[in-house]
Amino acid sequence: MNVRVQIISPTHVGFLDNSPFNMLGYYQCYQEGLSAVKHNKPLVILLEYNEGNISMELFIASLLRECPTSKIILLGENLRDEDVLCCLLSGIYGYLDVKDMYKFQTKAVKAVANGEAWISRRLVALLIEGIRG
């Protein structure tokens, strides 16, 4: 499977060097990452969550506006459920905690590349409860 993957990370969480994916690049600057997504049209984007001065929901919308076919996996460390749910509602396909990255990154990228979600069952239940009101 030749999956084009883009990494956008303010702290560069790292990705296995022996990845089976066609890595398009690591971008620590969101503007450069956005420009690269527009140019490269990756199938999967790994986006590290940043609580800094950028709205993740708006940035996700910007990424998807530049490449609507890209699927985004959010990377984070012990994120609050509310933060992940907001990003899911903004259009991401999955969430991968940094502590699980080396164990599940290949499976997560393959699943999301095939149109599947990569989130915990607990988050699915919270998402359904949120939709139900």
Side-chain angles (χ1 to χ4, degrees), residues 98-122:
V98 172
K99 73 179 179 333
D100 297 326
M101 199 159 155
Y102 289 106
K103 186 174 180 181
F104 293 114
Q105 66 184 354
T106 300
K107 287 181 181 182
V109 171
K110 284 181 180 179
V112 168
N114 287 322
E116 299 173 28
W118 188 270
I119 58 173
S120 69
R121 292 179 181 144
R122 183 179 49 76

Side-chain angles (χ1 to χ4, degrees), residues 21-83:
F21 310 113
N22 178 11
M23 298 301 294
L24 299 174
Y26 299 94
Y27 300 92
Q28 294 185 353
C29 169
Y30 285 118
Q31 193 59 35
E32 288 176 8
L34 187 61
S35 178
V37 164
K38 182 178 181 178
H39 174 72
N40 292 315
K41 307 290 187 209
L43 179 58
V44 177
I45 299 168
L46 298 175
L47 175 63
E48 187 176 357
Y49 189 87
N50 181 13
E51 292 184 39
N53 49 0
I54 183 169
S55 164
M56 292 308 293
E57 293 84 8
L58 289 175
F59 188 66
I60 290 165
S62 297
L63 288 169
L64 294 175
R65 191 171 30 260
E66 294 300 337
C67 187
T69 58
S70 289
K71 295 171 178 67
I72 300 171
I73 298 174
L74 187 67
L75 305 174
E77 190 168 3
N78 300 318
L79 292 185
R80 296 177 319 133
D81 291 338
E82 297 80 21
D83 294 331

